[in-house]
Amino acid sequence: MKRLLITIDGPAGAGKTTVSKMLAERLAYTYVDTGALYRGIAVAVRDAGISPDDDAGLETLCRAPDIRFVRAENSLRLLLNETDITGRIRTPEITMLASAISAKPVVRECLLHLQRDMGRQKGLVFEGRDMGTVVFPDADIKFFLDAPLEIRATRRYREFQGENRQTLADVERDMRVRDRNDSTRRIAPLKPAKEAVMIDSATLSPREVVMQMLKYIKESL
Ligand code: C5P
C-alpha cells in the first residue's frame, strides 16, 4: 500500500497526541510531535536567558537548532545539543514560552526547514498547528481535531494532575491564552486547511477518532 504523509492539526487538548500516536502505530508509520520542537526551542531560549521579544537573539539561537528526536526503548526522546530535555518541555512555563516564541517568524522559519526535512520520507503522521496549511500543503490526508475549551482543559488537567501545581481554572486560563495566540498570530495561525477532514473529539474516545480516521484513509485511497 502507498505510504502517506498524514497531518493532524488542532488546538491544545483536542487529543492530537494520543490519536496521532495510535494512528501511526496502526499504520506502522512514524509519528512526529511538532509542538515538542517549539517546546525544545523554548527550553533553549530559557536556558540562554533570551527574551522572547529579542528578535536578534532568537535569530542567532535558531539559525542552526541542534534539536532532534531519538527513539529510546518505547518512547521518543527530544535532544537539544545532545542533552535529553524531554522531561523539561511540559511545564506551564515552557508551554507558555513555546506559544510566545512560536509567533516569531525566525523561529517558524527554522522549524519549517527542520520539519520539511523530516517529512522527506513517507509513512508519517505529523501533529501540530500548521501542518496541513503551511508546512505540508501537499500532504496526502489532512485532519483537524477540535473540541470545546472546557473539555480540552479538563482533559489536560487530568493528564498532569499532581505533576504541575495548576488548578483546573489555571489550565483553562492558559489554554485560552494559547488558543488566542495560536489562532491570531500573523504567520501560520492555527486554522483548518480547506480540504481538512474536521473531527470533533468532544464525545469520542481516542479509539473512536482513530477508527473514523482509518475509515476515511481507506476510502480515499
Ligand atoms: O502541541 P503543543 O501544545 O505541544 O504545542 C506547544 C506550542 O507550540 C503551541 O501552543 C503553539 O504555540 C506552538 N506550535 C506551533 N505550531 C506547531 C506546533 C506547535 O505554533 N506546528
Side-chain angles (χ1 to χ4, degrees):
M1 193 166 85
K2 184 184 166 204
R3 290 174 74 73
L4 308 170
L5 195 155
I6 300 171
T7 60
I8 304 183
D9 288 309
K16 297 188 304 293
T17 303
T18 310
V19 161
S20 303
K21 278 186 190 159
M22 286 170 69
L23 183 66
E25 209 163 284
R26 283 293 298 261
L27 297 167
Y29 279 17
T30 301
Y31 152 71
V32 185
D33 170 6
T34 63
L37 298 175
Y38 285 89
R39 289 169 182 272
I41 299 286
V43 168
V45 168
R46 167 90 174 64
D47 288 356
I50 294 171
S51 155
D53 295 321
D54 174 0
D55 287 343
L58 285 180
E59 180 153 15
T60 309
L61 189 136
C62 278
R63 202 161 279 150
D66 185 6
I67 185 163
R68 64 195 171 93
F69 291 107
V70 287
R71 189 166 290 284
E73 287 164 17
N74 271 341
S75 66
L76 275 185
R77 315 294 300 175
L78 187 67
L79 298 192
L80 172 68
N81 302 326
E82 298 307 312
T83 302
D84 187 339
I85 55 161
T86 318
R88 295 182 57 198
I89 63 174
R90 307 272 162 207
T91 64
E93 184 200 359
I94 292 298
T95 300
M96 297 313 283
L97 188 55
S99 175
I101 58 152
S102 72
K104 300 291 177 182
V106 60
V107 173
R108 298 211 77 82
E109 179 66 21
C110 76
L111 286 185
L112 181 69
H113 295 305
L114 187 64
Q115 292 165 109
R116 285 189 178 155
D117 275 352
M118 290 176 167
R120 284 228 183 91
Q121 64 177 112
K122 284 289 170 116
L124 293 161
V125 178
F126 269 88
E127 171 213 332
R129 302 290 189 291
D130 60 341
M131 296 297 102
T133 48
V134 174
V135 182
F136 300 112
D138 298 328
D140 299 294
I141 298 192
K142 302 177 184 181
F143 294 106
F144 192 91
L145 198 57
D146 205 353
L149 174 66
E150 307 74 56
I151 292 180
R152 294 188 283 116
T154 306
R155 282 180 187 154
R156 192 47 56 86
Y157 174 68
R158 292 204 179 120
E159 194 182 327
F160 285 106
Q161 218 168 358
E163 284 179 45
N164 293 333
R165 280 191 220 111
Q166 282 198 309
T167 63
L168 175 58
D170 293 335
V171 175
E172 191 169 321
R173 180 206 55 220
D174 282 1
M175 212 174 245
R176 184 176 288 111
V177 173
R178 275 212 292 154
D179 280 358
R180 198 181 47 235
N181 289 350
D182 291 348
S183 47
T184 59
R185 66 181 171 226
R186 218 165 27 81
I187 39 166
L190 168 67
K191 65 172 185 196
K194 61 179 184 319
E195 59 279 52
V197 178
M198 308 291 292
I199 301 180
D200 184 342
S201 70
T203 59
L204 299 173
S205 68
R207 192 175 167 277
E208 287 169 326
V209 173
V210 172
M211 295 319 284
Q212 279 197 16
M213 288 177 165
L214 286 168
K215 185 166 176 283
Y216 178 81
I217 293 167
K218 209 167 149 199
E219 283 167 4
S220 54
L221 285 179

